Amino acid sequence: MITTLPAAQHATGGPGHWAICGALLSLLWAFGCSDADSEGAVGAAVEPPPTQWLLETDTGGLDARAGIDFAVKCRTFLPNSAGGADAWGAERPLPAAATVVVLDGPAAPLAIDGATVRFRLVGTYHLACKVPAFALVDDTPALVLVGPGPPKWLDTALRQGADGQPLKSLTVTAGAWIHTACSGADAWQNPIVEGWSLTAEPTLKPQPNGLLFQATVAKSYEIACRIDGQTDATPAALKVENNVPKHLFTRLEPTQIAAGNASVLSCLATDAWGNAVADFPMTVSHANKVSLKGKYMTGTIAGLYTVRCVPETLAWDLFELHPASLHVVPGPPHDLIVAKVPEKLVYKRNDKVQFPTLVRDVFGNAISGLQVDMAVTDPAKGF
């Protein structure tokens, strides 16, 4: 517990000097008031002298910071002549210069300049205003909480899980929750424990929740703590690697081919957060009417076929499969078939005959929607 005496008490003349001056000023004040009253209306109220006024230490309800000037407002009030529960009357300007006294706290302040205090250590302090010329002291000191000042140094460390060891470099798999351990102190070695935020390069997705975030995108990051506009110049390194495969995607380019042509097939495995998993062994499941030749999917029979990349040895239900559809359409026209309905060797005069047509590609796939023009010629003579 440190008790700091007001600077005024160490000045030449000591406390007795101030008491004598206060008494003289009070007499002058009373004399002035009496003189004024003699010129005014008979029976006018006479204000008590400043030695009887009430003094308040007003901090505005604010907290202070170490190393930063903290201004206190000293205010004087008349005593309430009407009595009652409230002893405070009207406010009056300070009758003389005021100063602030630090009554107790963790350490003596760095400086006191009138009603301005500069603290050194964090903690709880009691302050009181004084007007030495009139021997006024606030008998209800104000409570001030002093926090750390601007950071002199700051550092960033990372840990996986709440109980993990803080590390300057960390490698995790996607999905891990990372706690950022920020530390720092001001110029007087007061530790800074609150008010931290963090920055990341590249940007983290999703955004951090305070100092906690989930690492989902496989990349290398630099994570730095930040406070009071200052960022750690030596950020922590974080490497996020892909997790185990969860999704198996099938890709075909193009997804529609003419019979006999081919589509390029590719398989992609990703973890639950969309990070690619390299070299995961897969095979391809497809209908018998299409075939896989190397990385090309081909077919000669028109139709819509499902193609799936599946795990080579593991159970399918361990993964989410995302198949692709291959649409095989007929190729260019190759032959034309014309039929007779009804089919007869000989027709009578005025018999009606229909000639339906069928256009096919080279693989025998029927091609619809083509216009076929029919030409009728006279039979040769003799028929």
Side-chain angles (χ1 to χ4, degrees), residues 14 36 52 58 80 83 86 148 166 172 204 208 238 242-243 263 285 304 329 370:
Q52 299 178 20
D58 185 0
N80 188 358
D86 188 4
V172 298
L204 291 167
L238 174 67
N242 62 266
N243 211 315
S263 176
S285 171
L304 186 63
V329 299
L370 294 180

Side-chain angles (χ1 to χ4, degrees), residues 330-336 358-372:
H334 182 265
D335 53 51
L336 172 65
L358 175 63
V359 181
R360 301 185 305 183
D361 64 11
V362 69
F363 302 103
N365 298 299
I367 304 174
S368 61
L370 294 180
Q371 180 178 342
V372 178

